[in-house]
Amino acid sequence: MSYPDDEDDAALFRSAIGEVTPMRPVEPPPVGKPKPKPRARMKELDESEALGEFARLLRSSTPLEAGDNASYRRDNLPPRMFQRLKRGQYSVQDELDLHGASAAQAENLLRQFLLEARAHEHGCVRIIHGKGLQSDGGAPVLKNLVDRMLRQRNDVLAFHSAPPTQGGTGAVLVLLANR
């Protein structure tokens, strides 16, 4: 229903707001070089610090050679359990092969592998790092990386180079703590 005394809506609006000043035209921003793509600087910093930490650990202790046994036992682990690990008497529940990986790749793979092993409640795992015979005249990189990383983890109770039938000094058996 319309009322005869109602005015046109547009005219009513114009009379309510009064006179209007038009806006000045906005100039587009000057065309120049595009902004650089964002970089993951914190990730790059973390990776460089991690590699620096690994290099520092290698310098602070004598690195393992190709034929050396990698061995470590926490004080709270009974010696008898460690002897069983050294003999390969625990059932290996999962395995990680690091052959062909760079140090950075191996570090990431090892961290992820141990997280998954812990999530699946594995008690013993095997990590194959190789003997390092292909290393450029220096110490075996992956073998030393695995040795240093495993020593720093709270969920690792002990590790020892595998018996000859399970990879010898090119692999390590790791005994993991229960949750």
Side-chain angles (χ1 to χ4, degrees):
M1 171 182 239
S2 81
Y3 297 100
D5 54 352
D6 275 347
E7 292 183 34
D8 178 49
D9 286 341
L12 185 61
F13 176 75
R14 280 192 292 279
S15 68
I17 63 166
E19 204 161 311
V20 177
T21 307
M23 291 177 50
R24 283 180 277 145
V26 178
E27 293 182 29
V31 178
K33 285 199 277 183
K35 289 185 179 181
K37 291 184 179 178
R39 282 183 21 221
R41 281 181 258 156
M42 291 308 290
K43 179 183 176 199
E44 292 171 3
L45 182 63
D46 288 346
E47 287 176 356
S48 67
E49 285 178 3
L51 290 174
E53 177 70 15
F54 174 64
R56 187 187 63 73
L57 282 170
L58 280 179
R59 285 191 302 271
S60 69
S61 62
T62 306
L64 295 169
E65 296 297 325
D68 293 346
N69 276 323
S71 186
Y72 172 78
R73 175 181 74 91
R74 290 209 184 275
D75 293 335
N76 61 347
L77 183 77
R80 194 166 187 188
M81 289 180 76
F82 187 60
Q83 288 301 319
R84 288 186 64 208
L85 179 70
K86 285 170 71 171
R87 289 189 211 112
Q89 294 176 339
Y90 286 103
S91 173
V92 174
Q93 296 167 302
D94 204 356
E95 180 177 278
L96 172 67
D97 190 346
L98 296 174
H99 278 107
S102 69
Q105 290 169 334
E107 183 176 354
N108 289 333
L109 288 169
L110 183 57
R111 286 183 201 282
Q112 186 62 39
F113 174 73
L114 291 173
L115 283 172
E116 289 175 12
R118 181 88 186 236
H120 290 95
E121 299 181 1
H122 293 325
C124 182
V125 294
R126 181 185 306 119
I127 299 167
I128 302 169
H129 47 69
K131 293 186 180 185
L133 299 175
Q134 305 297 321
S135 293
D136 296 330
V141 175
L142 296 182
K143 182 175 188 170
N144 282 288
L145 172 75
V146 169
D147 180 79
R148 299 308 185 262
M149 282 185 66
L150 292 177
R151 288 175 189 270
Q152 295 176 353
R153 293 191 59 100
N154 291 332
D155 55 349
V156 173
L157 295 175
F159 63 86
H160 194 278
S161 290
T165 58
Q166 296 184 36
T169 57
V172 66
L173 298 177
V174 182
L175 199 57
L176 298 171
N178 293 335
R179 285 195 201 198

